[in-house]
Amino acid sequence: MIGSGTDWNAATLEGVDAFVFRAPCEVPVRTSFGVMHDRPAVLVRVRDRDGGEGWGEIWCNFPAVGADHRAALVRTVVAPMLKGAVLESPSALAGSLERKLEVLAIQSGEFGPIAQTLAGIDQALWDLAARRLGLPLWRLLGGEHGAIRVYASGLGPDGAVATALAARERGHVAFKLKVGFDHVDDLRRLRALRDALGPEATLMVDANQAWDPDMAMQRCPEMAEFGVHWIEEPLRADAPVEAWRQLAAHAGTALAAGENLVGRASFDAAISARALGVLQPDVAKWGGVSGCLSVARSAMEAGIRYCPHFLGAGIGLRMSAHLLAAAGGDGLLEIDANPNPLRELTCDGLLPVRDGAVELSAAPGIGPLPDLGALARFGIGQRAQR
């Protein structure tokens, strides 16, 4: 039932596991709305009765207790529902699970955490299906090749130039700066970054919803003068559509958003508004593979660039890479430029970057399984044992 042309035997699920990891960081990761004092990750594994497994990642960056909470949702709510379930189609099974949890989401008010948990489960089901078929996920999803372009993100208010230059040494040619702090300092950092990287570098900025419409109308054109390719989340994600349209007409460059949209209706509204030049669904926050790939294709049909958002460990990063390869187009994969051992230990088969691009392998699923032994020193709660 996976799709035409695939030789598929449905799998019966044996269990679902969630693993929480937390790695210290010497330099906190700062955004306009908050600070990350460590790097958390929730990895989720689905197991079938034939000994197969598939992996996904659940967004958990904020609040600080988010990782433990998402893992508890997997272990206490989702795992009992999936034990013994038959996997004929990842999208169908994930959709069925979502419908079963709709009332709980209303009752608890936890729409976001439940959506994020479901996103991780959807990823893991697709990874399991691709591994059972012996296909790389990007190919199972309809991709023609595994070559994708990338950019270095997470250049914060402290040491942005040094971080960018180090990323360039690692093969990056495109970079994104965090803004939304003091405006004079934002412009100073952007100018320093452009001067350091030269006119040929691709630059973007990310305001993380920091500005109201009046501020954005002033600040976007000033930043566009530096030749930025897009300005990300210059407004709150829930700002009126007319505010987005007015800003798009005035900004001087493309607007980007999508990481904080939840639900297909929200994405459809964003696409139909024609205010965004770049759409950025996050595979670990909403929709997983099933939802994000569908949204990506709709966006591209409407002439909007698809650039997946991601900031976490390596499983979600690899998922995002496979989604981009499957969707095609001229989008860029976001790769956090800040140190993160949880990413570095779980992004096998994706790095290194060469001339601003990576080449995904033809290994089944999203590539090598995570080494839980190597991750064990960062484990929290349920220990990572294989």
Side-chain angles (χ1 to χ4, degrees), residues 15-380:
V16 182
D17 310 300
F19 303 93
V20 179
F21 304 99
R22 198 174 294 278
C25 53
E26 293 183 7
V27 179
V29 179
R30 292 177 57 197
T31 69
S32 61
F33 63 84
V35 180
M36 295 172 62
H37 295 281
D38 57 31
R39 305 306 301 268
V42 177
L43 305 185
V44 59
R45 175 177 65 185
V46 295
R47 295 175 282 109
D48 67 27
R49 291 182 179 173
D50 298 321
E53 58 189 85
W55 287 81
E57 182 169 347
I58 299 170
W59 187 90
C60 62
N61 292 339
F62 296 96
V65 297
D68 308 88
H69 176 250
R70 307 308 188 268
L73 285 175
V74 173
R75 295 167 186 158
T76 64
V77 177
V78 174
M81 290 183 172
L82 286 180
K83 185 174 178 61
V86 176
L87 174 61
E88 295 182 341
S89 159
S91 294
L93 183 53
S96 174
L97 183 61
E98 180 180 17
R99 289 187 291 275
K100 291 178 182 177
L101 292 174
E102 285 175 347
V103 171
L104 178 62
I106 295 170
Q107 184 71 29
S108 64
E110 297 207 324
F111 301 98
I114 288 175
Q116 294 151 16
T117 300
L118 288 168
I121 294 293
D122 182 274
Q123 295 168 50
L125 294 175
W126 275 106
D127 186 39
L128 173 61
R131 292 181 190 279
R132 286 178 64 90
L133 289 165
L135 294 172
L137 182 59
W138 61 263
R139 184 170 292 161
L140 177 60
L141 296 174
E144 297 181 358
H145 58 79
I148 56 172
R149 297 167 61 213
V150 304
Y151 70 94
S153 78
L155 307 183
D158 304 310
V161 169
T163 302
L165 292 175
R168 187 167 69 176
E169 288 296 313
R170 298 194 299 270
H172 286 279
V173 300
F175 311 85
K176 187 172 75 181
L177 175 69
K178 292 284 188 184
V179 295
F181 305 96
D182 178 83
H183 186 49
V184 173
D185 287 342
D186 283 344
L187 292 177
R188 176 182 55 80
R189 281 188 286 266
L190 182 54
R191 183 177 295 108
L193 197 60
R194 174 56 80 192
D195 289 346
L197 296 173
E200 71 282 357
T202 298
L203 293 185
M204 295 79 74
V205 296
D206 183 359
N208 287 119
Q209 308 183 83
W211 303 327
D212 63 33
D214 289 339
M215 295 167 66
M217 291 286 277
Q218 173 197 343
R219 296 176 181 184
C220 285
E222 294 177 348
M223 293 188 172
E225 291 179 3
F226 291 90
V228 297
H229 282 230
W230 74 66
I231 298 175
E232 188 169 328
E233 289 197 319
L235 301 173
R236 282 175 43 156
D238 61 353
V241 65
E242 192 54 36
W244 282 95
R245 287 194 180 114
Q246 290 176 1
L247 182 59
H250 184 76
T253 190
L255 303 183
E259 67 181 271
N260 289 308
L261 297 179
V262 177
R264 181 58 197 248
S266 295
F267 282 100
D268 286 343
I271 292 170
S272 63
R274 303 285 178 169
L276 299 178
V278 180
L279 193 65
Q280 303 169 298
D282 188 317
V283 71
K285 292 191 83 169
W286 171 84
V289 172
S290 302
C292 288
L293 184 59
S294 176
V295 162
R297 287 173 171 160
S298 294
M300 292 169 64
E301 288 173 2
I304 300 172
R305 196 179 192 187
Y306 165 59
C307 295
H309 173 273
F310 187 73
L311 189 77
I315 298 299
L317 181 60
R318 284 195 271 162
M319 283 286 171
S320 301
H322 282 257
L323 275 170
L324 184 56
D330 64 347
L332 300 171
L333 173 70
E334 179 173 20
I335 299 181
D336 181 15
N338 296 293
N340 182 354
L342 300 180
R343 181 188 66 246
E344 292 147 16
L345 287 170
T346 53
C347 66
D348 302 35
L350 179 60
L351 304 178
V353 178
R354 294 186 177 88
D355 297 322
V358 297
E359 179 80 33
L360 302 181
S361 76
I366 59 168
L369 296 170
D371 183 347
L372 292 176
L375 289 165
R377 69 185 186 275
F378 301 113
I380 302 294

